Amino acid sequence: MKVLVPIKRVIDYNVKARVKSDNSDVDLTNVKMAMNPFCEIAIEEAIRLKEAGTANEVVAVTIGPKASQEQLRTALALGADKAIHIETDEKLESLHIAKLLAKIVEQETPELVILGKQSIDSDNNQTGQMLAALTKRGQGTFASKVVIENGKVNVTREVDGGLQTVALNLPAVVTTDLRLNEPRYASLPNIMKAKRKPLEVIAADSLGVDLTPRIQLISVEEPAKRTAGIIVEDVAQLVEKLKTEAKVI
Amino acid sequence: MKTLVIAEHDNGALKPETSKTINAAVKIGFPVDVLIAGNSLSAMSSHVASIDGVANVLVADNSVYEHQLAESMSDLVLSLSDTYSHIVASATTTGKNFMPRVAALLDVAQISEIIAVVDSDTFKRPIYAGNAIATVKSLDSKKVITVRASSFDLQGEQSAAAITSIDTVSDSQLSSFVSVEQTESERPELTAATVVISGGRGMQNGENFALLNGIADKLGAAIGASRAAVDAGFVPNDMQVGQTGKIVAPNLYIAVGISGAIQHLAGMKDSKVIVAINKDPDAPIFQVADYGLVADLFEVLPQLESAL
């Protein structure tokens, strides 16, 4: 079966985002960018399905500016067979992304789409669910285990209070949680090989999707600052402060 | 203009997130109806009806909704959506699961995890792991919104609102429930607790988390963990506090053996008072802690327990 893995180029997770001085957005100039960590897990899962003989083709897709091809090459180096770049310089919303991805699902007809559960920049946690709705597929979100058998995919989900397992008819959409797997690193020979793998570029506005903004970003501010408090000497002083000063115990 | 809130519950009891989400919904400024979808809900509907600001309670009591699978939940909400301008749920794993599906079916954008209501179209939400707060305005005619419950207060009580039962049954047939593995705990729920004590990589192993039990008992606290402690297998993942785990804002948060990575701070930095116990004086957690104690946690925890 074919697996489609949408990925996103985001700020590196170790970098602390800085707000622009005019409060228009977060400043991403000269900031280290990388593949969203949840997308790395999605790619890894798809490749494991291929190694297990369950999947025969892994297609990576991204939507964004030209520079996003760097992350597609990473996906190819990790083991994806081909890549699709939907090129746009617009900052798109989850609904737009889901609609564009639905077009790719229509074109590629994957039996399984695996996405990260959220991107660490917008923290929306929406795209996978929206794509499932638009393609009328079942969804297994926040997956920590994925098992494919008898035309179904069993997804163990990380929910508040524990774990829940659901069975989805294929084709289906799965979003990954952190504990699904541990992503591998790309080896140098594989990085070299990835340069020769096919990468198709499609202009976002050629897919017939209405990309009019639905959400207006009014401003972006720094959160209220917390300042360092005091260092106490010992446990007795700590308990004393919590009782009399902070009055929380 | 009317708002529909979808209640968060476990079929037996209503979750405190619902009351806080209703608090956010009331701030939007229109009459609030609450939908409870699940199985055997009789006791819960009167509880919801007594929450201040609730105009009507809609009860969809059917075995199809027992596990609130996204496919049937979103079809149910869609079937009720005509008369509502705002559809709101808690940003719990349940709400996060079905709400974007509702939004896509309605062809509208979703605004995730709001922390404040500016006006009926405009909301504040954290982005980049809470390192920035975005003010966003929805341009859609219908707003689909999830609420970060820890940013809102519990709503007060009123005399009972009207209760209507909903007979629509939407079984998508796309998915089915297989099993659930609940983490058993006598302690208060992490997201609702007034005191939280969390352990990190510094706890060294799962057994050492028992050192937190006595303190948690004395403070009536919930026990949390950092992602490092969960990834190392010390404790189950539903104890994780952070950007990718639970968001808490208790009166007192005690971080033990936690360095204070960006991802962890995103889950607890709105706590009223933060205490850090760490032997590394340069740990970033001390930059946000109101009270810091630089010491070996294995020496300090027994002392703390006996001092309480």
Side-chain angles (χ1 to χ4, degrees):
Chain A
M1 75 178 190
K2 191 193 269 193
V3 182
L4 182 74
V5 185
I7 60 169
K8 185 176 183 185
R9 174 185 171 89
V10 297
I11 189 169
D12 184 272
Y13 74 97
N14 284 309
V15 178
K16 192 171 183 289
R18 302 268 167 218
V19 173
K20 285 184 187 172
S21 55
D22 66 355
N23 292 110
S24 60
D25 205 342
V26 162
D27 193 354
L28 293 179
T29 44
N30 301 320
V31 168
K32 188 182 174 203
M33 302 293 277
M35 194 191 298
N36 181 40
F38 291 98
C39 303
E40 285 184 341
I41 294 167
I43 284 279
E44 176 67 29
E45 195 63 18
I47 292 160
R48 288 186 189 191
L49 288 172
K50 197 181 164 194
E51 286 170 347
T54 314
N56 53 24
E57 191 183 10
V58 175
V59 182
V61 54
T62 198
I63 301 168
K66 184 119 212 247
S68 318
Q69 288 187 10
E70 206 181 305
Q71 277 63 48
L72 282 178
R73 289 291 172 199
T74 305
L76 292 168
L78 290 167
D81 298 289
K82 72 164 185 176
I84 302 171
H85 177 210
I86 303 177
E87 196 173 352
T88 174
D89 287 325
E90 300 294 318
K91 207 178 151 187
L92 298 181
E93 298 158 14
S94 303
L95 183 66
H96 302 138
I97 301 289
K99 286 182 173 184
L100 290 169
L101 291 175
K103 294 284 181 186
I104 300 302
V105 167
E106 207 175 285
Q107 176 189 315
E108 297 285 326
T109 60
E111 276 160 291
L112 195 61
V113 184
I114 311 181
L115 309 88
K117 77 166 178 182
Q118 77 187 58
S119 62
I120 60 161
D121 52 357
S122 57
D123 284 333
N124 274 326
N125 196 331
Q126 298 175 2
T127 305
Q129 294 90 315
M130 288 181 159
L131 177 64
L134 297 172
T135 56
K136 300 184 174 61
R137 295 174 173 211
Q139 65 185 55
T141 52
F142 328 143
S144 61
K145 194 176 167 198
V146 175
V147 179
I148 294 169
E149 54 188 11
N150 310 327
K152 285 190 185 255
V153 53
N154 276 33
V155 180
T156 302
R157 308 179 51 235
E158 298 200 359
V159 295
D160 296 334
L163 297 169
Q164 180 199 56
T165 303
V166 293
L168 310 172
N169 298 339
L170 286 169
V173 174
V174 168
T175 75
T176 63
D177 218 315
L178 282 168
R179 270 159 294 275
L180 181 58
N181 60 47
E182 204 161 309
R184 69 193 68 189
Y185 291 98
S187 67
L188 189 58
N190 284 343
I191 292 170
M192 298 312 287
K193 257 189 261 173
K195 294 187 175 164
R196 294 190 299 274
K197 287 188 180 176
L199 193 160
E200 183 189 353
V201 181
I202 304 171
D205 49 20
S206 72
L207 287 168
V209 174
D210 177 8
L211 301 175
T212 316
R214 308 295 193 86
I215 295 172
Q216 184 190 345
L217 181 63
I218 292 180
S219 66
V220 175
E221 287 142 298
E222 295 268 354
K225 282 249 184 309
R226 261 199 110 95
T227 47
I230 57 163
I231 297 291
V232 295
E233 297 296 320
D234 52 25
V235 170
Q237 198 190 351
L238 175 64
V239 172
E240 169 67 19
K241 293 271 186 200
L242 290 178
K243 276 187 179 149
T244 57
E245 200 174 274
K247 298 189 170 65
V248 282
I249 58 172
Chain B
M1 306 285 256
K2 245 165 58 165
T3 300
L4 180 67
V5 171
I6 297 111
E8 174 80 19
H9 64 85
D10 60 4
N11 292 304
L14 193 70
K15 296 277 180 79
E17 283 91 343
T18 304
S19 176
K20 294 180 177 183
T21 300
I22 292 170
N23 181 270
V26 167
K27 290 191 160 82
I28 292 171
F30 306 119
V32 174
D33 289 359
V34 180
L35 167 67
I36 322 175
N39 196 22
S40 309
L41 300 169
S42 50
M44 222 177 312
S45 45
S46 55
H47 181 180
V48 174
S50 70
I51 297 174
D52 192 19
V54 175
N56 285 292
V57 182
L58 313 176
V59 184
D61 196 338
N62 192 292
S63 58
V64 167
Y65 304 123
E66 181 171 357
H67 303 288
Q68 301 189 322
L69 298 180
E71 296 80 5
S72 40
M73 281 298 287
S74 52
D75 286 350
L76 171 68
V77 175
L78 188 72
S79 72
L80 300 168
S81 63
D82 273 0
T83 50
Y84 295 98
S85 56
H86 293 71
I87 300 174
V88 181
S90 315
T92 55
T93 53
T94 312
K96 285 175 179 175
N97 189 33
F98 70 80
M99 286 294 269
R101 203 173 167 105
V102 170
L105 294 174
L106 288 167
D107 192 25
V108 303
Q110 174 183 299
I111 300 188
S112 294
E113 286 209 42
I114 63 160
I115 56 168
V117 176
V118 178
D119 61 41
S120 63
D121 307 323
T122 316
F123 309 91
K124 285 184 189 284
R125 60 177 302 265
I127 52 175
Y128 292 85
N131 285 305
I133 307 297
T135 303
V136 292
K137 181 175 178 173
S138 165
L139 306 174
D140 285 309
S141 55
K142 266 189 212 302
K143 331 285 179 199
V144 174
I145 297 161
T146 62
V147 173
R148 177 175 287 188
S150 65
S151 299
F152 293 90
D153 297 326
L154 285 165
Q155 187 74 352
E157 287 186 20
Q158 65 174 14
S159 54
I163 298 172
T164 318
S165 103
I166 301 285
D167 300 323
T168 323
V169 178
S170 317
D171 190 352
S172 72
Q173 311 281 345
L174 288 171
S175 64
S176 54
F177 171 80
V178 177
S179 62
V180 69
E181 216 177 294
Q182 214 87 31
T183 309
E184 296 298 333
S185 175
E186 304 278 291
R187 302 188 191 288
E189 250 186 275
L190 202 47
T191 50
T194 53
V195 181
V196 173
I197 181 162
S198 287
R201 203 197 303 270
M203 298 301 290
Q204 294 180 3
N205 59 47
E207 287 77 65
N208 288 337
F209 265 75
L211 292 168
L212 305 180
N213 287 343
I215 300 168
D217 286 341
K218 289 192 169 165
L219 294 174
I223 298 181
S226 70
R227 186 181 149 193
V230 173
D231 283 351
F234 299 173
V235 290
N237 63 274
D238 58 329
M239 285 170 65
Q240 184 185 320
V241 173
Q243 183 188 19
T244 57
K246 292 192 174 125
I247 313 288
V248 300
N251 287 336
L252 173 61
Y253 187 89
I254 308 174
V256 184
I258 292 176
S259 65
I262 294 175
Q263 115 87 29
H264 186 73
L265 298 181
M268 46 64 83
K269 68 182 164 65
D270 293 325
S271 305
K272 203 166 142 222
V273 174
I274 297 174
V275 170
I277 300 172
N278 204 304
K279 65 180 175 194
D280 174 10
D282 297 324
I285 191 79
F286 287 120
Q287 293 164 19
V288 299
D290 300 283
Y291 302 102
L293 180 54
V294 181
D296 185 348
L297 66 94
F298 295 103
E299 284 171 25
V300 169
L301 288 177
Q303 292 174 19
L304 181 59
E305 185 178 341
S306 56
L308 289 170

